[in-house]
Amino acid sequence: MNDTAMIKALALRKTFETPHGEVEVLKGIDMEVRSGERLGIVGASGSGKTTLMHLLGGLDRPTEGTVTFDGENIFSLENGLLDRFRNSSIGFVFQFHQLLPEFSALENVMLPGMIARRPSRETQQDARALLEEVGLSHRLNHKPGALSGGEQQRVAIARALSLQPRVLLADEPTGNLDSKTSSDILALLNRLHEEKGLTMVIVTHSGELASAMDRVVHMVDGCLS
């Protein structure tokens, strides 16, 4: 980890329209993510953690404010360029895996490369190597329904790393797992961080996961404390 800020959020606000009026979810967030660090974002349900992660990764746009990546405002990119940036620079891991049920583990990990139109043979080789790296070389052809929750999360992590992103954004990566499997996923994330120098932003309720981070920020009612 170094002191260079890779990601900066400035005055981030996000409101949503509801039948009962506007709801302000983020209320002016200022934060930095340093290159190579593991940052934990901790807070109660509804505090705005997931919304913040979506904005940091360019999955959603803020009502106000900016997110810069290496000094460039990602929301100044036109939609196609923003999609390309997100696909090449950021890997996402979600609480509920979001694997395609009709695809095998191998096909799910290949998917980002296929979308990026990488050569099929190279994409398959890389996907096999990643699944071996996360301990699933024996489950390549199994569909998500035939995998345990921990195995599905390992597939999701391999998929997130398939295009060699610089940043991994993970939303409750151990949220639906038992304590043993959660510890295994934490060990895997730590090993990948050490070996690949990944910058990680982890949204979590888990005290064990948060305590393993280099730095932790707390969210309360749409604000950082």
Side-chain angles (χ1 to χ4, degrees):
M1 182 178 68
N2 61 49
D3 293 330
T4 304
M6 177 184 288
I7 302 172
K8 288 185 179 182
L10 181 62
L12 275 188
R13 294 182 179 275
K14 183 65 178 180
T15 60
F16 292 96
E17 294 288 343
T18 76
H20 306 290
E22 283 191 349
V23 174
E24 189 175 30
V25 177
L26 299 182
K27 302 174 182 178
I29 299 290
D30 295 327
M31 66 178 294
E32 294 185 355
V33 182
R34 295 188 286 271
S35 179
E37 85 168 323
R38 294 169 298 178
L39 175 66
I41 302 176
V42 177
S45 296
S47 61
K49 306 185 305 297
T50 297
T51 299
L52 176 58
M53 192 193 86
H54 287 177
L55 296 185
L56 294 178
L59 288 174
D60 197 4
R61 290 179 176 270
T63 305
E64 296 179 18
T66 60
V67 173
T68 61
F69 191 100
D70 286 342
E72 182 174 17
N73 179 7
I74 64 173
F75 297 113
S76 69
L77 300 172
E78 298 296 331
N79 284 333
L81 292 176
L82 178 58
D83 292 344
R84 192 178 307 167
F85 157 77
R86 191 170 53 235
N87 201 31
S88 64
S89 299
I90 299 178
F92 295 92
V93 178
F94 301 98
Q95 181 177 2
F96 297 103
H97 319 307
Q98 295 192 5
L99 301 176
L100 294 180
E102 68 274 20
F103 282 11
S104 67
L106 181 63
E107 290 166 336
N108 268 284
V109 178
M110 289 176 63
L111 193 59
M114 294 165 62
I115 292 171
R117 299 186 179 181
R118 295 183 65 213
S120 178
R121 178 174 295 182
E122 179 182 329
T123 299
Q124 185 177 101
Q125 288 175 344
D126 289 349
R128 285 178 177 272
L130 280 166
L131 285 167
E132 181 175 355
E133 195 170 348
V134 301
L136 289 177
S137 58
H138 62 302
R139 307 288 267 172
L140 299 179
N141 297 315
H142 288 71
K143 294 182 178 180
L147 301 174
S148 70
E151 288 172 334
Q152 289 183 51
Q153 196 63 300
R154 287 171 180 268
V155 174
I157 291 169
R159 180 185 60 188
L161 299 176
S162 62
L163 293 181
Q164 300 182 340
R166 295 176 60 196
V167 178
L168 182 71
L169 300 181
D171 187 3
E172 298 286 2
T174 61
N176 293 310
L177 305 176
D178 61 64
S179 58
K180 171 63 168 64
T181 307
S182 295
S183 294
D184 290 344
I185 293 296
L186 172 57
L188 172 62
L189 289 172
N190 284 334
R191 178 170 62 81
L192 292 171
H193 171 262
E194 182 176 343
E195 293 176 355
K196 299 179 182 295
L198 276 175
T199 301
M200 294 184 178
V201 180
I202 310 291
V203 168
T204 184
H205 284 107
S206 166
E208 180 187 13
L209 186 52
S211 67
M213 299 294 101
D214 300 313
R215 184 166 60 98
V216 175
V217 297
H218 295 266
M219 287 206 71
V220 179
D221 297 332
C223 300
L224 290 182
S225 64

